[in-house]
Short mmCIF file of all heavy atoms in Angstrom, two decimals:
data_model
loop_
_atom_site.label_atom_id
_atom_site.label_comp_id
_atom_site.label_asym_id
_atom_site.label_seq_id
_atom_site.Cartn_x
_atom_site.Cartn_y
_atom_site.Cartn_z
N MET A 82 0.83 -1.17 -0.02
CA MET A 82 -0.01 -0.03 -0.03
C MET A 82 0.89 1.27 0.03
O MET A 82 1.83 1.39 0.78
CB MET A 82 -0.81 -0.08 1.24
CG MET A 82 -1.57 1.29 1.57
SD MET A 82 -2.52 1.30 3.02
CE MET A 82 -3.99 0.61 2.43
N ASP A 83 0.54 2.13 -0.92
CA ASP A 83 1.23 3.44 -0.92
C ASP A 83 0.22 4.55 -0.67
O ASP A 83 -0.93 4.47 -1.13
CB ASP A 83 1.80 3.78 -2.30
CG ASP A 83 3.09 2.81 -2.52
OD1 ASP A 83 3.89 2.71 -1.64
OD2 ASP A 83 3.18 2.28 -3.61
N ILE A 84 0.54 5.53 0.05
CA ILE A 84 -0.24 6.68 0.39
C ILE A 84 0.31 7.90 -0.05
O ILE A 84 1.54 8.23 0.10
CB ILE A 84 -0.55 6.69 1.92
CG1 ILE A 84 -1.20 5.49 2.44
CG2 ILE A 84 -1.36 7.95 2.35
CD1 ILE A 84 -1.41 5.44 3.91
N THR A 85 -0.54 8.71 -0.83
CA THR A 85 -0.12 9.98 -1.28
C THR A 85 -1.05 11.04 -0.69
O THR A 85 -2.25 10.85 -0.72
CB THR A 85 -0.17 10.12 -2.86
OG1 THR A 85 0.54 8.93 -3.31
CG2 THR A 85 0.30 11.40 -3.35
N LEU A 86 -0.48 12.10 -0.20
CA LEU A 86 -1.29 13.26 0.25
C LEU A 86 -1.30 14.39 -0.63
O LEU A 86 -0.36 14.62 -1.29
CB LEU A 86 -0.71 13.72 1.62
CG LEU A 86 -0.73 12.73 2.88
CD1 LEU A 86 -0.17 13.42 4.01
CD2 LEU A 86 -2.08 12.26 3.15
N HIS A 87 -2.42 15.13 -0.73
CA HIS A 87 -2.56 16.35 -1.44
C HIS A 87 -2.81 17.34 -0.38
O HIS A 87 -4.00 17.74 -0.12
CB HIS A 87 -3.70 16.21 -2.48
CG HIS A 87 -3.59 14.97 -3.25
ND1 HIS A 87 -2.79 14.83 -4.34
CD2 HIS A 87 -4.22 13.73 -3.14
CE1 HIS A 87 -2.90 13.54 -4.87
NE2 HIS A 87 -3.70 12.92 -4.09
N ARG A 88 -1.79 17.84 0.21
CA ARG A 88 -1.86 18.84 1.40
C ARG A 88 -2.53 20.08 0.97
O ARG A 88 -3.13 20.80 1.82
CB ARG A 88 -0.56 19.05 2.07
CG ARG A 88 -0.08 17.80 2.73
CD ARG A 88 1.13 18.11 3.63
NE ARG A 88 0.64 18.49 4.97
CZ ARG A 88 1.02 19.64 5.56
NH1 ARG A 88 1.80 20.42 5.01
NH2 ARG A 88 0.61 19.97 6.68
N ASP A 89 -2.47 20.44 -0.20
CA ASP A 89 -3.07 21.68 -0.73
C ASP A 89 -4.57 21.64 -0.69
O ASP A 89 -5.27 22.57 -0.60
CB ASP A 89 -2.61 22.07 -2.19
CG ASP A 89 -2.80 20.90 -3.19
OD1 ASP A 89 -2.53 19.75 -2.77
OD2 ASP A 89 -3.24 21.09 -4.22
N ARG A 90 -5.06 20.49 -0.77
CA ARG A 90 -6.54 20.26 -0.58
C ARG A 90 -7.05 20.10 0.87
O ARG A 90 -8.25 20.24 1.10
CB ARG A 90 -7.05 18.91 -1.30
CG ARG A 90 -6.77 18.93 -2.83
CD ARG A 90 -7.41 17.66 -3.33
NE ARG A 90 -6.92 17.27 -4.69
CZ ARG A 90 -6.95 16.13 -5.18
NH1 ARG A 90 -7.55 15.08 -4.56
NH2 ARG A 90 -6.46 15.82 -6.38
N CYS A 91 -6.20 19.67 1.72
CA CYS A 91 -6.60 19.40 3.13
C CYS A 91 -7.17 20.62 3.79
O CYS A 91 -6.64 21.66 3.65
CB CYS A 91 -5.33 18.86 3.90
SG CYS A 91 -5.65 18.62 5.59
N VAL A 92 -8.24 20.40 4.49
CA VAL A 92 -8.91 21.51 5.19
C VAL A 92 -8.74 21.25 6.66
O VAL A 92 -9.40 22.01 7.50
CB VAL A 92 -10.42 21.61 4.83
CG1 VAL A 92 -10.53 21.92 3.23
CG2 VAL A 92 -11.15 20.26 5.07
N GLY A 93 -8.02 20.34 7.05
CA GLY A 93 -7.77 20.14 8.54
C GLY A 93 -8.93 19.67 9.35
O GLY A 93 -9.11 19.84 10.52
N ALA A 94 -9.73 18.87 8.66
CA ALA A 94 -10.96 18.30 9.37
C ALA A 94 -10.56 17.24 10.39
O ALA A 94 -11.33 17.06 11.35
CB ALA A 94 -11.92 17.69 8.31
N GLY A 95 -9.41 16.63 10.19
CA GLY A 95 -8.95 15.68 11.15
C GLY A 95 -9.51 14.25 11.18
O GLY A 95 -9.15 13.47 12.05
N MET A 96 -10.41 13.99 10.18
CA MET A 96 -10.92 12.70 10.14
C MET A 96 -9.90 11.60 9.95
O MET A 96 -9.93 10.50 10.60
CB MET A 96 -11.92 12.54 9.01
CG MET A 96 -13.26 13.26 9.25
SD MET A 96 -14.03 12.68 10.72
CE MET A 96 -14.37 10.90 10.32
N CYS A 97 -8.83 11.84 9.23
CA CYS A 97 -7.83 10.90 9.03
C CYS A 97 -7.12 10.59 10.28
O CYS A 97 -6.91 9.37 10.54
CB CYS A 97 -6.82 11.38 7.90
SG CYS A 97 -6.08 13.02 8.38
N ALA A 98 -6.71 11.49 11.12
CA ALA A 98 -5.95 11.36 12.30
C ALA A 98 -6.84 10.59 13.32
O ALA A 98 -6.32 9.79 14.10
CB ALA A 98 -5.43 12.61 12.89
N LEU A 99 -8.08 10.80 13.29
CA LEU A 99 -9.02 10.11 14.20
C LEU A 99 -9.24 8.65 13.75
O LEU A 99 -9.28 7.71 14.66
CB LEU A 99 -10.43 10.80 14.17
CG LEU A 99 -10.46 12.14 14.99
CD1 LEU A 99 -11.88 12.80 14.79
CD2 LEU A 99 -10.20 11.90 16.48
N THR A 100 -9.32 8.45 12.43
CA THR A 100 -9.67 7.09 11.99
C THR A 100 -8.38 6.27 11.88
O THR A 100 -8.52 5.04 12.16
CB THR A 100 -10.22 7.28 10.49
OG1 THR A 100 -11.27 8.20 10.53
CG2 THR A 100 -10.73 6.00 9.96
N ALA A 101 -7.25 6.81 11.53
CA ALA A 101 -6.07 5.98 11.42
C ALA A 101 -4.92 6.76 12.09
O ALA A 101 -4.03 7.29 11.39
CB ALA A 101 -5.75 5.74 9.98
N PRO A 102 -4.86 6.78 13.45
CA PRO A 102 -3.91 7.51 14.19
C PRO A 102 -2.49 6.91 13.98
O PRO A 102 -1.51 7.71 14.25
CB PRO A 102 -4.37 7.46 15.57
CG PRO A 102 -5.26 6.28 15.67
CD PRO A 102 -5.95 6.14 14.30
N GLY A 103 -2.33 5.70 13.56
CA GLY A 103 -0.98 5.18 13.28
C GLY A 103 -0.43 5.58 11.99
O GLY A 103 0.70 5.38 11.79
N VAL A 104 -1.25 6.18 11.19
CA VAL A 104 -0.79 6.50 9.78
C VAL A 104 -0.78 8.06 9.60
O VAL A 104 0.08 8.57 8.87
CB VAL A 104 -1.73 5.89 8.79
CG1 VAL A 104 -1.22 6.18 7.35
CG2 VAL A 104 -1.82 4.32 9.01
N PHE A 105 -1.82 8.72 10.13
CA PHE A 105 -1.96 10.16 9.91
C PHE A 105 -1.90 10.90 11.22
O PHE A 105 -2.32 10.51 12.24
CB PHE A 105 -3.24 10.47 9.20
CG PHE A 105 -3.48 9.76 7.95
CD1 PHE A 105 -4.36 8.63 7.88
CD2 PHE A 105 -2.87 10.12 6.83
CE1 PHE A 105 -4.55 7.96 6.75
CE2 PHE A 105 -2.97 9.43 5.61
CZ PHE A 105 -3.91 8.35 5.58
N ASP A 106 -1.37 12.19 11.14
CA ASP A 106 -1.47 13.07 12.25
C ASP A 106 -1.79 14.45 11.71
O ASP A 106 -1.93 14.60 10.46
CB ASP A 106 -0.13 13.08 13.02
CG ASP A 106 -0.31 13.74 14.32
OD1 ASP A 106 -1.31 14.23 14.76
OD2 ASP A 106 0.82 13.80 15.10
N GLN A 107 -1.95 15.46 12.53
CA GLN A 107 -2.24 16.82 11.99
C GLN A 107 -1.09 17.67 12.47
O GLN A 107 -0.57 17.62 13.62
CB GLN A 107 -3.57 17.27 12.54
CG GLN A 107 -4.80 16.69 11.92
CD GLN A 107 -6.04 17.24 12.43
OE1 GLN A 107 -6.53 16.73 13.39
NE2 GLN A 107 -6.57 18.31 11.81
N ASP A 108 -0.73 18.56 11.65
CA ASP A 108 0.28 19.58 11.94
C ASP A 108 -0.13 20.41 13.10
O ASP A 108 -1.24 20.95 13.12
CB ASP A 108 0.56 20.48 10.66
CG ASP A 108 1.73 21.39 10.80
OD1 ASP A 108 1.60 22.38 11.59
OD2 ASP A 108 2.76 21.06 10.20
N ASP A 109 0.77 20.64 14.00
CA ASP A 109 0.37 21.48 15.23
C ASP A 109 0.09 22.92 14.82
O ASP A 109 -0.66 23.58 15.64
CB ASP A 109 1.57 21.44 16.23
CG ASP A 109 1.69 20.08 16.88
OD1 ASP A 109 0.71 19.34 16.96
OD2 ASP A 109 2.80 19.77 17.46
N GLU A 110 0.71 23.39 13.80
CA GLU A 110 0.46 24.83 13.44
C GLU A 110 -0.72 25.10 12.54
O GLU A 110 -1.50 25.93 12.74
CB GLU A 110 1.76 25.37 12.88
CG GLU A 110 2.94 25.25 13.83
CD GLU A 110 4.07 26.17 13.50
OE1 GLU A 110 4.10 26.80 12.47
OE2 GLU A 110 4.95 26.22 14.39
N ASP A 111 -0.77 24.36 11.41
CA ASP A 111 -1.88 24.70 10.50
C ASP A 111 -2.95 23.62 10.44
O ASP A 111 -3.92 23.82 9.74
CB ASP A 111 -1.32 24.93 9.06
CG ASP A 111 -0.72 23.69 8.38
OD1 ASP A 111 -0.84 22.55 8.96
OD2 ASP A 111 0.00 23.81 7.35
N GLY A 112 -2.79 22.59 11.20
CA GLY A 112 -3.90 21.58 11.35
C GLY A 112 -4.02 20.67 10.18
O GLY A 112 -4.88 19.78 10.20
N ARG A 113 -3.15 20.84 9.14
CA ARG A 113 -3.24 19.96 7.94
C ARG A 113 -2.61 18.61 8.25
O ARG A 113 -1.72 18.46 9.11
CB ARG A 113 -2.69 20.66 6.76
CG ARG A 113 -3.53 21.83 6.37
CD ARG A 113 -3.28 22.27 4.99
NE ARG A 113 -1.98 22.87 4.83
CZ ARG A 113 -1.53 23.38 3.71
NH1 ARG A 113 -2.30 23.40 2.59
NH2 ARG A 113 -0.35 23.88 3.56
N VAL A 114 -2.97 17.69 7.40
CA VAL A 114 -2.55 16.31 7.58
C VAL A 114 -1.05 16.10 7.43
O VAL A 114 -0.35 16.85 6.73
CB VAL A 114 -3.25 15.45 6.58
CG1 VAL A 114 -2.86 15.81 5.12
CG2 VAL A 114 -2.97 13.90 6.79
N VAL A 115 -0.53 15.21 8.30
CA VAL A 115 0.92 14.87 8.28
C VAL A 115 0.87 13.37 8.12
O VAL A 115 0.19 12.63 8.88
CB VAL A 115 1.62 15.22 9.55
CG1 VAL A 115 3.03 14.66 9.58
CG2 VAL A 115 1.63 16.77 9.71
N LEU A 116 1.69 12.86 7.21
CA LEU A 116 1.73 11.33 6.96
C LEU A 116 2.90 10.78 7.85
O LEU A 116 4.01 11.22 7.71
CB LEU A 116 2.02 11.18 5.44
CG LEU A 116 2.04 9.66 4.98
CD1 LEU A 116 0.62 9.10 5.31
CD2 LEU A 116 2.25 9.58 3.51
N LEU A 117 2.46 9.93 8.64
CA LEU A 117 3.41 9.28 9.61
C LEU A 117 4.18 8.10 8.98
O LEU A 117 5.29 7.81 9.37
CB LEU A 117 2.73 8.86 10.88
CG LEU A 117 2.04 9.89 11.63
CD1 LEU A 117 1.27 9.22 12.88
CD2 LEU A 117 3.00 11.00 12.19
N ASP A 118 3.49 7.50 8.04
CA ASP A 118 4.10 6.22 7.39
C ASP A 118 3.58 6.15 6.03
O ASP A 118 2.45 5.87 5.70
CB ASP A 118 3.65 5.08 8.27
CG ASP A 118 4.33 3.77 7.97
OD1 ASP A 118 5.10 3.75 6.87
OD2 ASP A 118 4.22 2.85 8.68
N THR A 119 4.44 6.29 5.03
CA THR A 119 4.13 6.20 3.59
C THR A 119 3.79 4.83 3.16
O THR A 119 3.02 4.64 2.25
CB THR A 119 5.24 6.74 2.70
OG1 THR A 119 6.40 5.97 2.90
CG2 THR A 119 5.49 8.13 2.88
N LYS A 120 4.25 3.78 3.87
CA LYS A 120 3.96 2.42 3.55
C LYS A 120 3.58 1.68 4.85
O LYS A 120 4.37 0.89 5.40
CB LYS A 120 5.14 1.78 2.86
CG LYS A 120 5.48 2.35 1.55
CD LYS A 120 6.69 1.55 0.94
CE LYS A 120 7.11 2.20 -0.44
NZ LYS A 120 6.08 2.15 -1.44
N PRO A 121 2.34 1.89 5.32
CA PRO A 121 1.97 1.32 6.56
C PRO A 121 1.91 -0.18 6.52
O PRO A 121 1.68 -0.73 5.46
CB PRO A 121 0.53 1.93 6.80
CG PRO A 121 0.05 2.29 5.45
CD PRO A 121 1.28 2.67 4.69
N SER A 122 2.11 -0.80 7.67
CA SER A 122 2.01 -2.26 7.77
C SER A 122 0.56 -2.71 7.45
O SER A 122 -0.36 -1.88 7.66
CB SER A 122 2.43 -2.74 9.18
OG SER A 122 1.54 -2.33 10.13
N PRO A 123 0.41 -3.98 7.08
CA PRO A 123 -0.96 -4.49 6.84
C PRO A 123 -1.94 -4.26 7.95
O PRO A 123 -3.16 -4.04 7.66
CB PRO A 123 -0.71 -6.04 6.58
CG PRO A 123 0.72 -6.00 6.04
CD PRO A 123 1.45 -4.95 6.83
N ALA A 124 -1.54 -4.16 9.09
CA ALA A 124 -2.51 -3.97 10.26
C ALA A 124 -3.14 -2.60 10.20
O ALA A 124 -4.19 -2.36 10.72
CB ALA A 124 -1.72 -4.07 11.62
N HIS A 125 -2.50 -1.66 9.43
CA HIS A 125 -3.08 -0.27 9.29
C HIS A 125 -3.83 -0.09 7.98
O HIS A 125 -4.38 0.97 7.81
CB HIS A 125 -2.01 0.73 9.41
CG HIS A 125 -1.34 0.78 10.80
ND1 HIS A 125 -1.98 1.24 11.86
CD2 HIS A 125 -0.10 0.41 11.18
CE1 HIS A 125 -1.14 1.14 12.91
NE2 HIS A 125 0.05 0.73 12.54
N HIS A 126 -3.84 -1.13 7.10
CA HIS A 126 -4.39 -0.82 5.76
C HIS A 126 -5.85 -0.45 5.83
O HIS A 126 -6.31 0.40 5.12
CB HIS A 126 -4.18 -2.13 4.87
CG HIS A 126 -2.75 -2.23 4.38
ND1 HIS A 126 -2.33 -3.12 3.50
CD2 HIS A 126 -1.58 -1.53 4.80
CE1 HIS A 126 -0.98 -3.00 3.30
NE2 HIS A 126 -0.63 -2.09 4.18
N ALA A 127 -6.72 -1.25 6.62
CA ALA A 127 -8.10 -1.05 6.58
C ALA A 127 -8.45 0.32 7.08
O ALA A 127 -9.26 1.11 6.58
CB ALA A 127 -8.78 -2.09 7.39
N ALA A 128 -7.82 0.79 8.17
CA ALA A 128 -8.00 2.08 8.76
C ALA A 128 -7.49 3.18 7.72
O ALA A 128 -8.19 4.21 7.60
CB ALA A 128 -7.29 2.23 10.04
N ALA A 129 -6.40 2.95 7.05
CA ALA A 129 -5.92 3.91 6.13
C ALA A 129 -6.92 4.16 4.94
O ALA A 129 -7.20 5.34 4.53
CB ALA A 129 -4.57 3.56 5.58
N ARG A 130 -7.47 3.03 4.42
CA ARG A 130 -8.50 3.14 3.38
C ARG A 130 -9.68 3.82 3.84
O ARG A 130 -10.28 4.60 3.07
CB ARG A 130 -8.81 1.66 2.84
CG ARG A 130 -7.79 1.11 2.00
CD ARG A 130 -8.30 -0.09 1.15
NE ARG A 130 -7.21 -0.80 0.56
CZ ARG A 130 -6.57 -1.82 1.09
NH1 ARG A 130 -6.92 -2.27 2.29
NH2 ARG A 130 -5.68 -2.41 0.49
N LEU A 131 -10.11 3.54 5.00
CA LEU A 131 -11.31 4.12 5.60
C LEU A 131 -11.11 5.63 5.66
O LEU A 131 -11.86 6.45 5.31
CB LEU A 131 -11.61 3.54 6.98
CG LEU A 131 -12.93 4.00 7.63
CD1 LEU A 131 -14.16 3.67 6.78
CD2 LEU A 131 -13.11 3.33 8.97
N ALA A 132 -9.91 6.04 6.16
CA ALA A 132 -9.57 7.47 6.37
C ALA A 132 -9.57 8.19 4.99
O ALA A 132 -10.19 9.32 4.99
CB ALA A 132 -8.29 7.56 7.02
N ALA A 133 -9.09 7.50 4.05
CA ALA A 133 -9.11 8.20 2.68
C ALA A 133 -10.53 8.34 2.13
O ALA A 133 -10.84 9.38 1.64
CB ALA A 133 -8.32 7.24 1.70
N GLY A 134 -11.36 7.33 2.49
CA GLY A 134 -12.79 7.50 2.06
C GLY A 134 -13.53 8.49 2.79
O GLY A 134 -14.48 9.16 2.28
N LEU A 135 -13.16 8.75 4.10
CA LEU A 135 -13.86 9.72 4.92
C LEU A 135 -13.42 11.16 4.73
O LEU A 135 -14.03 12.02 5.12
CB LEU A 135 -13.72 9.35 6.41
CG LEU A 135 -14.51 8.02 6.80
CD1 LEU A 135 -14.10 7.62 8.25
CD2 LEU A 135 -15.98 8.25 6.64
N CYS A 136 -12.25 11.34 4.19
CA CYS A 136 -11.66 12.67 4.02
C CYS A 136 -12.61 13.55 3.22
O CYS A 136 -12.84 13.20 2.05
CB CYS A 136 -10.24 12.59 3.42
SG CYS A 136 -9.66 14.31 3.09
N PRO A 137 -13.13 14.59 3.77
CA PRO A 137 -14.01 15.36 3.02
C PRO A 137 -13.46 16.25 1.87
O PRO A 137 -14.18 16.79 1.08
CB PRO A 137 -14.60 16.45 4.13
CG PRO A 137 -13.45 16.57 5.11
CD PRO A 137 -12.80 15.13 5.12
N ALA A 138 -12.13 16.33 1.86
CA ALA A 138 -11.37 17.11 0.79
C ALA A 138 -10.74 16.13 -0.19
O ALA A 138 -10.07 16.63 -1.15
CB ALA A 138 -10.34 17.91 1.47
N ALA A 139 -10.92 14.85 -0.11
CA ALA A 139 -10.33 13.93 -1.02
C ALA A 139 -8.81 14.20 -1.15
O ALA A 139 -8.24 14.18 -2.23
CB ALA A 139 -11.01 13.91 -2.40
N ALA A 140 -8.17 14.31 0.00
CA ALA A 140 -6.80 14.69 -0.01
C ALA A 140 -5.91 13.53 0.24
O ALA A 140 -4.62 13.75 0.29
CB ALA A 140 -6.55 15.74 1.11
N ILE A 141 -6.47 12.36 0.36
CA ILE A 141 -5.61 11.13 0.59
C ILE A 141 -5.87 10.19 -0.54
O ILE A 141 -7.10 9.87 -0.83
CB ILE A 141 -6.06 10.53 1.87
CG1 ILE A 141 -5.83 11.53 3.09
CG2 ILE A 141 -5.22 9.24 2.13
CD1 ILE A 141 -6.51 10.98 4.36
N THR A 142 -4.83 9.76 -1.19
CA THR A 142 -4.94 8.70 -2.18
C THR A 142 -4.22 7.48 -1.72
O THR A 142 -3.04 7.47 -1.37
CB THR A 142 -4.27 9.21 -3.56
OG1 THR A 142 -4.99 10.34 -4.01
CG2 THR A 142 -4.39 8.11 -4.59
N VAL A 143 -5.02 6.38 -1.69
CA VAL A 143 -4.32 5.06 -1.26
C VAL A 143 -4.31 4.19 -2.49
O VAL A 143 -5.30 4.02 -3.26
CB VAL A 143 -5.21 4.39 -0.20
CG1 VAL A 143 -4.74 2.98 0.03
CG2 VAL A 143 -5.26 5.27 1.07
N THR A 144 -3.12 3.68 -2.82
CA THR A 144 -2.94 2.72 -3.92
C THR A 144 -2.29 1.43 -3.44
O THR A 144 -1.50 1.45 -2.45
CB THR A 144 -2.10 3.35 -5.05
OG1 THR A 144 -0.86 3.85 -4.44
CG2 THR A 144 -2.78 4.55 -5.70
N ALA A 145 -2.59 0.36 -4.11
CA ALA A 145 -2.05 -0.94 -3.73
C ALA A 145 -0.67 -1.03 -4.29
O ALA A 145 -0.49 -0.85 -5.43
CB ALA A 145 -2.91 -2.02 -4.33
N ALA A 146 0.30 -1.18 -3.43
CA ALA A 146 1.67 -1.36 -3.84
C ALA A 146 1.90 -2.78 -4.31
O ALA A 146 1.31 -3.69 -3.69
CB ALA A 146 2.67 -1.03 -2.79
N ARG A 147 2.64 -2.97 -5.29
CA ARG A 147 2.90 -4.31 -5.83
C ARG A 147 3.81 -5.02 -4.87
O ARG A 147 4.87 -4.51 -4.57
CB ARG A 147 3.55 -4.25 -7.16
CG ARG A 147 3.49 -5.54 -7.95
CD ARG A 147 3.82 -5.42 -9.33
NE ARG A 147 2.95 -4.48 -10.07
CZ ARG A 147 3.23 -3.82 -11.12
NH1 ARG A 147 4.42 -3.74 -11.53
NH2 ARG A 147 2.45 -2.98 -11.64
N GLU A 148 3.31 -6.10 -4.37
CA GLU A 148 4.23 -6.91 -3.43
C GLU A 148 5.34 -7.65 -4.13
O GLU A 148 5.15 -8.10 -5.29
CB GLU A 148 3.39 -7.90 -2.69
CG GLU A 148 2.18 -7.28 -1.91
CD GLU A 148 2.68 -6.31 -0.86
OE1 GLU A 148 3.78 -6.50 -0.29
OE2 GLU A 148 1.93 -5.32 -0.56
N PRO A 149 6.47 -7.75 -3.55
CA PRO A 149 7.61 -8.47 -4.15
C PRO A 149 7.15 -9.90 -4.57
O PRO A 149 6.46 -10.64 -3.75
CB PRO A 149 8.62 -8.49 -3.09
CG PRO A 149 8.38 -7.49 -2.13
CD PRO A 149 6.84 -7.26 -2.25
N GLY A 150 7.39 -10.32 -5.77
CA GLY A 150 7.00 -11.68 -6.18
C GLY A 150 5.66 -11.81 -6.68
O GLY A 150 5.24 -12.85 -7.26
N SER A 151 4.85 -10.72 -6.67
CA SER A 151 3.47 -10.87 -7.21
C SER A 151 3.53 -10.66 -8.65
O SER A 151 4.40 -10.06 -9.26
CB SER A 151 2.54 -9.90 -6.58
OG SER A 151 2.91 -8.51 -6.88
N SER A 152 2.47 -11.08 -9.39
CA SER A 152 2.48 -10.95 -10.92
C SER A 152 2.12 -9.51 -11.20
O SER A 152 1.66 -8.77 -10.39
CB SER A 152 1.50 -11.91 -11.51
OG SER A 152 0.20 -11.33 -11.36
N SER A 153 2.33 -9.17 -12.47
CA SER A 153 2.06 -7.79 -12.89
C SER A 153 0.64 -7.48 -13.11
O SER A 153 0.24 -6.39 -13.25
CB SER A 153 2.90 -7.38 -14.09
OG SER A 153 2.58 -8.30 -15.17
N THR A 154 -0.18 -8.54 -13.25
CA THR A 154 -1.63 -8.33 -13.45
C THR A 154 -2.25 -8.31 -12.11
O THR A 154 -2.08 -9.22 -11.23
CB THR A 154 -2.21 -9.33 -14.35
OG1 THR A 154 -1.84 -10.62 -13.87
CG2 THR A 154 -1.78 -9.28 -15.82
N PRO A 155 -3.21 -7.47 -11.85
CA PRO A 155 -3.84 -7.32 -10.53
C PRO A 155 -4.76 -8.46 -10.25
O PRO A 155 -5.30 -9.05 -11.14
CB PRO A 155 -4.59 -6.00 -10.58
CG PRO A 155 -4.62 -5.44 -11.95
CD PRO A 155 -3.57 -6.32 -12.78
S1 SF4 B 249 -9.39 14.08 6.78
FE1 SF4 B 249 -8.70 15.07 4.80
S2 SF4 B 249 -9.08 17.22 5.17
FE2 SF4 B 249 -9.15 16.31 7.17
S3 SF4 B 249 -7.09 16.51 8.01
FE3 SF4 B 249 -7.22 14.50 6.98
S4 SF4 B 249 -6.49 14.86 4.98
FE4 SF4 B 249 -7.06 16.81 5.80
#
């Protein structure tokens, strides 16, 4: 799993940090999202996907990273 943030879109709603506190935090100064882990462990995947879906600004993109040894077709 790879996570990309679009901080220019972030409105500081904080849903991501509440939903996946192991992956996202908020900047102390401007309240915008901070990514704690660009490649979170599988234990955090469900929460990270949920947070991306809940973000009101669509500022989080979650993509499936190709695992070593997996085929090129999804
Ligand atoms: S939920 Fe979206 S808008 Fe809110 S802090 Fe996280 S990235 Fe920013």
Side-chain angles (χ1 to χ4, degrees):
M82 165 181 277
D83 288 314
I84 297 177
T85 305
L86 294 182
H87 310 280
R88 293 193 83 234
D89 52 319
R90 294 186 201 160
C91 176
V92 296
M96 284 304 297
C97 55
L99 285 173
T100 307
V104 183
F105 304 104
D106 198 358
Q107 285 180 272
D108 188 286
D109 287 340
E110 297 199 352
D111 65 12
R113 293 199 290 182
V114 63
V115 173
L116 186 59
L117 300 176
D118 190 349
T119 56
K120 294 182 184 296
S122 68
H125 293 293
H126 287 188
R130 283 197 191 91
L131 184 60
L135 290 173
C136 174
I141 302 169
T142 301
V143 173
T144 52
R147 197 169 297 153
E148 301 298 329
S151 66
S152 79
S153 59
T154 51

